[in-house]
């Protein structure tokens, strides 16, 4: 019996021949990531543990992304604490405001995560990086402090669920619609504790940003990791970032999966999740009567250059409805710069969008687009839990960037084909 | 977390109680239990923290604590005085966080359906049972995996790591 991708990576990091679901293993971790909201507590706990030096400064990555540029004095102090720790510990992968971005988009972009590695991050969307063929999972701050101190972590080897995708996307339909569709099928705990391995000809054909979007939302089904085995697309993406070709682990042909779900993209349309769960998914047209106050395009799910470009293609020469605020946040500084150079941001600003500097901001109701009482938003983000983007009475719908752009123009949830 | 008896009244919640409702992010500029406590569960019930008595139990359905990795969630529950969380299942990051910060939590497939609001609940650790004193019921609780039990024995992950670092003279 062969092994899944998650089983192979975990066995290699625990120094055992084989890892089977249910095994409890202590694994070496290759990369340890924290952000301005989670690192300060980790630092406090790290010191209380009696630790003085991180086990390996080269493994550590610290990213300013959640409450930056500082939204208030407390946030400024959070970043300040993380900044001082990076200096003290000699952590070079420290990303400052203006040279940073949302961690889950930033790490792949900077070539900091590689196939076959284990990445732990104190943020639940750490699973995004699994798109590069690594095992990437979210942890809390105390767990992260322990990983800094020990360089290892215990895991229960997860069952693996295989998603086999065939066919090609219809116009404007993206991997966001695919993952929303899958969440509708699986529910928010359908993959709880499991690794989700995506594959098949349609995944092979996806560019990296689409793969990142897919793995990003594995956590919304409760998964420990979302993964795509590295292939030519991955290696080319890494080569552009100066990472030399490497021997990437692959799942075995005869690997054992807890469940296999097959999806034909030919049957997939534009999907929207309604409040207050990302699994409450229906075709976008079901929500055509829903008026919105705000549209948000950005986040670690859909703040990539291609996402901004898809929105700009629809907004070009058109205007955001007078009743709507459109907020756009490029995921990283590099995406921001490229979007300027290619005229994407010019198009968006001319249409009436407010463009912000890279941050997690609006997605989690932190800053730069918080919702007021009873307000309704459509967002390209990953979560629509109650109060996620602001007041407890506000409501969030999730969709892809093209749906977001059409919605901003129409003032109600719309598809690109609904535009006059 | 391993010895003694936990006792408190039951506060019932449904499925998929997420970390955004356990502690909305606007309160997450602190990780101090006492500062977080008054806002615990405020996404579902703004009065929760002022209504409960120290040691009271949260009893919930599937997937309690799904969503973000914020450790502020179990810390806020501790700050509010929650004595234990009993649920059918837990979101995996919350599960690990609860172990690590020493918030007692128990998996029980029946608890939420065998329990009314305000029922007096009791857990005697050595028994592995959840007793509903009000209704005269006793329910078996799932055992912790060995790695988890070891961390709980040590008094949480912080103490566990401290012991290991001392052990190797770091």
């Amino acid at each position: 019996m062969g092994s899944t991708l998650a089983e192979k990576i975990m066995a290699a990091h625990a120094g055992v021949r084989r890892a089977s679901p249910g095994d409890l293993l202590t694994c070496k971790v290759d990369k340890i990531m924290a952000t301005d909201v989670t690192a300060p507590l980790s630092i406090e706990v790290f010191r209380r543990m009696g630790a003085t030096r991180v086990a390996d400064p080269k493994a550590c990555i610290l990213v300013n992304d959640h409450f930056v540029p500082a939204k208030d004095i407390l946030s400024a102090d959070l970043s300040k604490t993380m900044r001082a720790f990076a200096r003290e510990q000699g952590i070079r992968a420290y990303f400052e405001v203006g040279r940073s971005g949302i961690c889950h988009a930033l790490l792949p972009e900077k070539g900091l995560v590689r196939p076959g590695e284990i990445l732990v991050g104190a943020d639940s969307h750490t699973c995004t990086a699994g798109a590069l063929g690594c095992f990437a999972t979210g942890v809390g701050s105390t767990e992260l402090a322990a990983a800094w101190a020990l360089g290892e972590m215990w895991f229960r080897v997860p069952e693996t669920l295989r998603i086999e995708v065939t066919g090609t996307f219809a116009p404007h339909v993206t991997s966001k619609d695919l993952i929303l569709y899958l969440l509708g099928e699986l529910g928010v705990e359908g993959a709880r504790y499991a690794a989700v391995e995506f594959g098949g000809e349609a995944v092979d054909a996806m560019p990296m940003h689409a793969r990142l979007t897919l793995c990003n939302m594995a956590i919304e089904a409760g998964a420990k990791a979302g993964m795509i085995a590295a292939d030519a697309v991955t290696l080319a993406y890494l080569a552009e970032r100066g990472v030399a070709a490497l021997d990437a682990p692959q799942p075995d042909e005869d690997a054992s999966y807890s469940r296999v779900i097959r999806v034909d993209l030919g049957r997939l349309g534009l999907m929207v999740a309604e409040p207050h769960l990302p699994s409450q998914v229906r075709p976008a047209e079901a929500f055509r009567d829903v008026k919105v106050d705000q549209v948000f395009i950005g986040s670690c799910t859909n703040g990539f250059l291609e996402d901004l470009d898809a929105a700009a293609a629809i907004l070009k020469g058109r205007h955001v409805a007078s009743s709507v605020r459109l907020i756009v946040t490029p995921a990283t500084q590099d995406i921001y710069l490229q979007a300027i150079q290619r005229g994407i941001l010019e198009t968006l600003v001319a249409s009436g969008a407010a463009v912000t500097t890279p941050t997690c901001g609006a997605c989690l109701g932190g800053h730069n687009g918080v919702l007021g009482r009873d307000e309704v938003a459509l967002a390209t983000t990953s979560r629509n839990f109650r109060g996620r983007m602001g007041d407890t009475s506000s409501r969030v719908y999730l969709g892809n960037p093209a749906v977001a752009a059409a919605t901003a123009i129409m003032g109600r949830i719309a598809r690109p084909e609904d535009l006059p | 977390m391993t010895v003694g008896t936990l006792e408190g009244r039951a506060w019932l919640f449904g499925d998929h109680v997420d970390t955004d409702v356990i502690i909305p992010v606007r309160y997450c500029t602190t990780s101090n239990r006492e500062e977080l406590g008054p806002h615990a569960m405020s996404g579902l019930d703004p009065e929760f923290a002022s209504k409960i008595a120290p040691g009271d139990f949260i009893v919930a359905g599937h997937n309690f604590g799904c969503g973000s990795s914020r450790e502020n969630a179990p810390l806020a529950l501790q700050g509010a005085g929650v004595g234990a969380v009993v649920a059918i299942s837990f979101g995996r990051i919350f599960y690990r966080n609860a172990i690590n910060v020493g918030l007692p939590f128990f998996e029980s497939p029946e608890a939420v359906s065998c329990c009314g609001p305000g029922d007096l609940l009791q857990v005697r650790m050595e028994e592995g049972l959840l007793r509903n004193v009000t209704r005269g019921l006793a329910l078996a609780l799932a055992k912790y995996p060995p790695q988890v039990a070891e961390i709980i024995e040590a008094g949480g992950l912080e103490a566990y790591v401290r012991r290991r670092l001392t052990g190797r003279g770091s």
Side-chain angles (χ1 to χ4, degrees):
Chain A
M1 180 78 73
S3 295
T4 69
L5 184 53
E7 289 159 11
K8 278 204 174 166
I9 295 174
M10 293 193 129
H13 284 73
V16 296
R17 277 174 51 91
R18 186 183 165 79
S20 302
D23 290 355
L24 291 166
L25 298 178
T26 298
C27 295
K28 180 187 178 301
V29 294
D30 302 295
K31 300 286 162 59
I32 307 166
M33 190 271 301
T35 73
D36 52 311
V37 289
T38 51
L41 177 56
S42 298
I43 294 164
E44 199 183 308
V45 173
F46 181 76
R47 304 216 194 280
R48 287 205 304 260
M49 284 169 170
T52 50
R53 307 300 306 173
V54 296
D56 179 9
K58 291 194 296 299
C60 302
I61 303 164
L62 297 171
V63 183
N64 280 292
D65 62 4
H66 276 65
F67 292 160
V68 296
K71 76 181 179 83
D72 52 24
I73 296 166
L74 289 169
S75 312
D77 286 340
L78 292 175
S79 286
K80 194 176 168 190
T81 303
M82 184 167 80
R83 190 176 297 125
F85 186 73
R87 277 204 201 105
E88 172 196 297
Q89 297 290 327
I91 295 167
R92 297 180 65 183
Y94 167 81
F95 293 93
E96 190 54 271
V97 175
R99 283 140 278 169
S100 191
I102 304 173
C103 56
H104 312 302
L106 188 74
L107 267 54
E109 179 188 291
K110 298 290 181 192
L112 290 171
V113 277
R114 292 160 194 201
E117 288 187 336
I118 292 184
L119 160 72
V120 294
D123 190 282
S124 61
H125 289 110
T126 300
C127 57
T128 313
L132 286 118
C134 60
F135 185 89
T137 194
V139 298
S141 290
T142 297
E143 194 92 60
L144 193 98
W148 278 341
L150 304 174
E152 61 182 37
M153 216 174 107
W154 72 270
F155 292 100
R156 179 188 168 280
V157 178
E159 285 78 24
T160 300
L161 203 148
R162 173 87 181 178
I163 313 286
E164 196 67 33
V165 194
T166 53
T168 51
F169 286 118
H172 301 299
V173 179
T174 69
S175 64
K176 175 63 165 288
D177 302 287
L178 172 57
I179 189 68
L180 286 174
Y181 166 80
L182 286 165
L183 283 164
E185 294 294 299
L186 285 167
V188 287
E189 64 167 349
R192 205 167 46 86
Y193 299 142
V196 179
E197 198 180 282
F198 300 94
E201 60 180 45
V203 174
D204 296 344
M206 281 182 201
M208 191 49 69
H209 74 91
R211 297 179 180 196
L212 290 165
T213 301
L214 202 51
C215 291
N216 172 269
M217 287 184 74
I219 177 70
E220 311 319 333
K224 192 171 204 159
M227 312 178 75
I228 297 171
D231 62 4
V233 172
T234 322
L235 297 183
Y237 178 89
L238 288 168
E240 281 172 34
R241 285 150 182 86
V243 180
L246 34 72
D247 193 18
Q250 300 291 325
D252 291 324
E253 293 267 321
D254 59 343
S256 168
Y257 296 98
S258 60
R259 187 176 169 192
V260 179
I261 297 175
R262 294 176 204 282
V263 186
D264 175 8
L265 294 183
R267 302 164 66 95
L268 184 71
L270 296 166
M271 307 302 282
V272 165
E274 64 180 322
H276 293 287
L277 286 177
S279 58
Q280 280 171 359
V281 174
R282 281 192 282 158
E285 54 267 35
F287 303 106
R288 57 163 52 123
D289 296 329
V290 176
K291 288 188 179 147
V292 303
D293 302 291
Q294 180 170 304
V295 171
F296 174 60
I297 300 173
S299 82
C300 55
T301 314
N302 274 136
F304 298 103
L305 187 67
E306 294 80 355
D307 297 322
L308 306 185
D309 195 32
I314 289 165
L315 281 154
K316 194 169 182 67
R318 293 186 167 107
H319 290 283
V320 174
S322 58
S323 57
V324 173
R325 307 165 318 251
L326 170 60
I327 294 166
V328 178
T329 303
T332 68
Q333 189 77 3
D334 188 53
I335 292 168
Y336 194 18
L337 181 59
Q338 286 194 56
I340 290 170
Q341 289 167 342
R342 296 185 190 197
I344 294 169
L345 294 190
E346 186 179 345
T347 300
L348 293 171
V349 171
S351 76
V355 176
T356 84
T357 182
T359 175
C360 307
C363 169
L364 77 165
H367 60 132
N368 273 340
V370 177
L371 298 177
R373 190 173 293 274
D374 296 323
E375 285 195 321
V376 177
L378 183 126
T380 66
T381 58
S382 57
R383 283 190 184 138
N384 57 351
F385 297 143
R386 192 182 301 275
R388 169 75 177 177
M389 288 182 70
D391 191 87
T392 307
S393 63
S394 61
R395 297 167 64 79
V396 179
Y397 293 78
L398 306 175
N400 84 18
V403 170
T407 300
I409 295 163
M410 299 293 281
R412 57 178 177 78
I413 294 177
R415 303 166 301 174
E417 56 261 49
D418 297 329
L419 293 170
Chain B
M1 187 161 166
T2 45
V3 288
T5 301
L6 299 168
E7 191 176 278
R9 300 274 169 191
W11 295 83
L12 262 61
F13 292 92
D15 294 336
H16 315 305
V17 172
D18 62 78
T19 54
D20 279 289
V21 297
I22 296 173
I23 186 74
V25 82
R26 59 185 171 279
Y27 305 117
C28 292
T29 44
T30 178
S31 47
N32 180 294
R33 287 179 174 87
E34 282 64 43
E35 290 173 30
L36 291 164
H39 310 294
M41 304 301 283
S42 61
L44 289 176
D45 179 0
E47 311 299 317
F48 176 79
S50 57
K51 290 191 297 199
I52 74 162
D56 278 358
F57 283 43
I58 284 178
V59 181
H62 291 275
N63 206 20
F64 185 89
C66 62
S68 92
S69 70
R70 66 187 72 158
E71 205 160 286
N72 317 63
L75 293 174
L77 297 180
Q78 287 177 314
V82 171
V85 183
V86 185
I88 298 174
S89 61
F90 291 87
R92 66 162 286 276
I93 307 178
F94 183 93
Y95 179 95
R96 290 186 79 117
N97 284 343
I99 299 164
N100 295 339
V101 306
L103 171 69
F105 67 98
F106 305 100
E107 287 179 307
S108 163
E110 309 101 334
V112 71
S113 51
C114 298
C115 192
D119 283 4
L120 183 63
L121 304 181
Q122 201 182 64
V123 172
R124 286 202 197 101
M125 293 297 189
E126 65 281 6
E127 285 183 334
L129 290 178
L130 170 74
R131 293 180 181 279
N132 185 329
V133 179
T134 306
R135 297 176 187 226
L137 296 171
L139 306 171
L141 296 168
K143 276 209 169 91
Y144 299 118
Q147 248 92 342
V148 175
E150 201 183 335
I151 294 166
I152 293 170
E153 286 291 326
L157 188 62
E158 191 182 307
Y160 173 82
V161 175
R162 195 184 309 119
R163 185 191 289 175
R164 278 196 47 184
L165 291 176
T166 314
R168 75 179 184 204
S170 174

